[in-house]
Amino acid sequence: MTSTSTDTSREEAVTTRRTPVTPRSGSARPSDAARVPVQPVRGAAGRPSGAAGQVPGRPGQVRVAVYAEDLILQAGVVQQLRQRPEVELLSEADAGKADVSLLVVDALTDVVAERLRRLRLATSGRIGLVVGHFEAGGLQTIVEYGVAAVLRRSEADQDRLVHLITALANGEGVMPGDLLGELLDRIGVLQRTMLDGRGLTLSTLTAREVEMLRLVAEGFDTSEIAAKTSYSERTVKNVLHEIITRLGLRNRAHAVGFAMRRGLI
């Protein structure tokens, strides 16, 4: 009696160990759902190109987070980018890991400026702006908050969006021609108002050094330069020697060539 009971228990134990637990068809593990991005990029086979938070599956693929004022603006940009193999769209949870953060807005308002400020603090990647209307004076705001590329929404087709993203990922800037011209004008104003009055330039040379190199380039010797600048010959020699030594140049002719190539004289 006892033997039969023991044998039966052993058979049940063996049966229990050998019977695998098979999940029902179509069921999904919680971890699978957590790894699927909200807006994954899909390849030709219709599969996600990479799970959220993972390194892009293709070499050179840029991780991008898209932000917008409303869902319609965001959906339009996402729809264009998800078709491109150069881009991996990140979910909201992984947006802080983006190589490029793209903000899509109607206009550069105070609210947008504040969002740019917070975005600059939240990510280590570079920031691009797609904007519908850009008013005068907005350039200072985007420079202040680290925006390195701007594209007008009227020009934001798929190829231009991808060009902006890849340029940002490569450390380059992208600006419409009129904004670039305005930026250069502002730099010129900065040089005239902030630097020239202190005898400095945006280059590595002071105004006095530039003046002396210009005279060297015109063929004047040390005594003639001293007479024209009202400095002693010793001072002229010291200034020119300082330029050559500081910039690692060989002689006066080399220093003149250096300054001319950089448009300083």
Side-chain angles (χ1 to χ4, degrees):
M1 185 73 173
T2 304
S3 175
T4 303
S5 176
T6 302
D7 293 343
T8 302
S9 299
R10 289 176 180 174
E11 289 177 0
E12 290 176 351
V14 171
T15 301
T16 301
R17 289 197 301 268
R18 291 179 179 176
T19 304
V21 179
T22 305
R24 290 176 296 174
S25 175
S27 64
R29 295 173 295 177
S31 58
D32 290 338
R35 288 199 299 266
V36 177
V38 174
Q39 295 163 337
V41 183
R42 298 186 177 274
R47 296 187 300 245
S49 64
Q54 293 181 339
V55 177
R58 297 183 180 89
Q61 199 174 38
V62 182
R63 294 173 297 183
V64 178
V66 178
Y67 304 85
E69 289 180 309
D70 58 62
L71 292 177
I72 294 177
L73 289 178
Q74 185 175 28
V77 172
V78 166
Q79 181 61 31
Q80 294 197 65
L81 293 180
R82 73 191 314 168
Q83 304 172 33
R84 298 297 292 259
E86 304 98 321
V87 175
E88 180 194 18
L89 290 171
L90 298 182
S91 66
E92 182 178 354
D94 293 315
K97 304 173 184 177
D99 302 312
V100 171
S101 296
L102 200 60
L103 180 60
V104 188
V105 298
D106 283 320
L108 192 58
T109 62
D110 291 340
V111 174
V112 172
E114 174 59 21
R115 189 163 189 181
L116 284 172
R117 186 189 68 81
R118 288 188 277 112
L119 190 58
R120 177 71 282 171
L121 296 175
T123 180
S124 60
R126 307 193 81 207
I127 300 175
L129 180 68
V130 180
V131 59
H133 179 63
F134 197 95
E135 295 183 353
L139 188 62
Q140 180 176 346
T141 300
I142 65 173
V143 171
E144 180 180 353
Y145 293 123
V147 176
V150 177
L151 182 64
R152 287 192 169 88
R153 278 174 47 199
S154 59
E155 302 171 349
D157 59 23
Q158 188 180 104
D159 288 336
R160 286 192 175 96
L161 283 170
V162 173
H163 170 71
L164 179 144
I165 289 168
T166 54
L168 284 172
N170 290 329
E172 302 170 1
V174 178
M175 290 279 176
D178 58 324
L179 294 186
L180 182 59
E182 182 181 347
L183 178 61
L184 294 175
D185 289 342
R186 286 180 178 270
I187 291 175
V189 171
L190 173 65
Q191 181 175 7
R192 291 190 297 272
T193 59
M194 299 295 293
L195 301 178
D196 285 353
R198 299 163 55 193
L200 302 173
T201 69
L202 288 173
S203 69
T204 55
L205 302 177
T206 67
R208 183 175 69 169
E209 290 171 339
V210 169
E211 180 184 11
M212 290 189 181
L213 280 180
R214 183 180 296 113
L215 292 172
V216 172
E218 293 174 1
F220 295 103
D221 60 23
T222 301
S223 61
E224 292 171 324
I225 295 173
K228 286 182 173 293
T229 59
S230 300
Y231 290 110
S232 68
E233 292 187 27
R234 182 181 181 86
T235 298
V236 172
K237 290 179 180 179
N238 288 340
V239 169
L240 294 175
H241 178 73
E242 167 63 19
I243 296 171
I244 293 168
T245 303
R246 189 175 73 242
L247 301 180
L249 305 173
R250 294 188 298 274
N251 48 43
R252 293 186 180 187
H254 193 190
V256 168
F258 173 90
M260 292 182 69
R261 285 192 300 272
R262 285 156 180 77
L264 303 177
I265 61 175

